[in-house]
Amino acid sequence: SYFALLTNAVVQLLGLFPILAKGIESARSLGDVFDADDLEHNDGKVVVDEVVGAFTVEDVTFRYPDAATPVVRGVSLAVAVGETIAFVGASGSGKTTMLNLLMGFVAPTSGRILLDGHDLSRIDLRTYRRFVAIVPQQPALLTGTIRENIAYGMPDVDEVQIAQALAGANASEFVADLDAGWDTPIGQGGAALSGGQRQRLAIARALVRDPRVLFLDEATSALDGASEALVSEALQRLMAGRTTFVVAHRLGTVRTADRIVVMDRGRIVEVGSHAELIAANGVYARMHFVAEAPPE
Ligand code: ADP
């Protein structure tokens, strides 16, 4: 029986080995993160505790460090508070780079961007981004409940705010239909959500943050009619009264944007409202967008 005890103990020790190996590997990855240099140098920069949402882009050129030619060239644009600006243009024309510049994820190679009159390069970007929400093309949902997905990073959000955000995003109904309402886990083993539902959760996530500035990267594929109408209605609600920059692929969005900025190989080639640009019969007038699906 001593022998049996001994072999059992050895077998148990051996069983621990994979766990230990995993732990050591995790600690090593964490170390990499902690040791990494800051990508942004925010210390000592201007802390903004209010963002109104006016932007001035002054002759901005941007070139990726490893690229030979710039992807944004001599762009100038003044954006009023609450305006919706839709960037359109062929793939690779620099629309996403424009969003990245305005979010401060990359800095202009030359020229400058002013936010409410402050040079973005002098602002502590962490403080600016408290007033910003981003709705990406493919919203990343985290493993966790619906509530956690909406309120992550915001410990002070209460039930009323979550309910309002869900309602504003046209998501109350489908969430209420889930087994445990907004406490239903999503992702692996949890509720399976459709594309339109995921987008509406991303909109609720943005609404609860009550941002001053909004960045949207529109989905390129059409949703089904009913979903489409719910998503675009929720988006209109989200954009109201907020400075919005959207990489637009849909006809509904460009029609309602205050101004459309047409980009071609890094330059702005046309600026105006849908009606103005159609009347001008230029590049924009020849472009095609994802049409709204007819309501079902
Ligand atoms: P759009 O959104 O209009 O499709 P992008 O702004 O994404 O255009 O890209 C503009 C150009 O910049 C493209 O030619 C793309 O290949 C290039 N580009 C994008 N990201 C990088 C990067 N990280 N490094 C080098 N070039 C890039």
Side-chain angles (χ1 to χ4, degrees):
S1 55
Y2 271 130
F3 184 72
L5 265 177
L6 206 68
T7 44
N8 260 336
V10 170
V11 166
Q12 269 177 13
L13 261 180
L14 284 177
L16 268 181
F17 184 74
I19 299 172
L20 274 177
K22 222 172 167 181
I24 290 169
E25 206 39 57
S26 306
R28 205 171 282 155
S29 321
L30 274 178
D32 286 347
V33 174
F34 288 138
D35 284 348
D37 289 332
D38 271 345
L39 285 176
E40 287 178 3
H41 304 286
N42 283 314
D43 292 334
K45 293 199 175 165
V46 179
V47 169
V48 288
D49 38 31
E50 197 195 5
V51 165
V52 189
F55 287 82
T56 314
V57 180
E58 288 180 353
D59 197 17
V60 164
T61 292
F62 176 75
R63 184 171 56 80
Y64 282 100
D66 49 354
T69 51
V71 292
V72 167
R73 306 155 193 253
V75 166
S76 295
L77 187 71
V79 180
V81 176
E83 216 181 351
T84 298
I85 301 287
F87 290 105
V88 303
S91 164
S93 58
K95 306 179 295 289
T96 312
T97 309
M98 279 306 300
L99 289 200
N100 288 336
L101 281 161
L102 290 159
M103 288 188 274
F105 287 153
V106 294
T109 312
S110 68
R112 54 181 199 157
I113 297 175
L114 307 181
L115 163 68
D116 301 334
H118 302 288
D119 191 334
L120 218 50
S121 66
R122 302 226 174 88
I123 292 179
D124 183 333
L125 293 169
R126 294 168 298 190
T127 60
Y128 158 48
R129 295 204 190 101
R130 279 195 219 127
F131 300 90
V132 168
I134 302 172
V135 180
Q137 228 180 71
Q138 307 244 316
L141 297 179
L142 315 169
T143 313
T145 63
I146 298 226
R147 180 208 299 261
E148 285 162 353
N149 264 279
I150 290 174
Y152 76 87
M154 303 183 70
D156 299 330
V157 169
D158 61 31
E159 307 266 305
V160 179
Q161 286 167 295
I162 294 190
Q164 281 171 347
L166 284 171
N170 280 340
S172 304
E173 276 185 26
F174 86 79
V175 169
D177 284 345
L178 298 174
D179 291 342
W182 59 36
D183 289 317
T184 311
I186 49 181
Q188 288 161 357
L193 301 175
S194 74
Q197 290 171 334
R198 297 169 73 93
Q199 280 183 3
R200 281 179 276 154
L201 283 190
I203 294 170
R205 185 188 267 176
L207 272 171
V208 89
R209 285 166 171 73
D210 192 16
R212 296 305 314 144
V213 187
L214 195 63
F215 292 94
L216 303 178
D217 193 351
E218 249 185 343
T220 42
S221 52
L223 299 166
D224 64 83
S227 223
E228 170 92 36
L230 289 171
V231 168
S232 69
E233 190 187 67
L235 275 177
Q236 293 301 331
R237 220 173 270 145
L238 175 62
M239 298 189 314
R242 304 186 163 105
T243 308
T244 304
F245 297 98
V246 47
V247 170
H249 303 288
R250 319 179 84 81
L251 194 56
T253 314
V254 288
R255 274 215 188 115
T256 51
D258 294 305
R259 276 190 296 160
I260 300 159
V261 172
V262 186
M263 303 213 40
D264 180 31
R265 279 161 285 175
R267 289 186 195 283
I268 295 184
V269 289
E270 286 174 6
V271 180
S273 69
H274 175 74
E276 285 164 1
L277 293 182
I278 290 291
N281 200 19
V283 183
Y284 177 80
R286 289 188 293 275
M287 290 177 75
H288 296 284
F289 295 95
V290 180
E292 298 102 296
E296 283 170 352

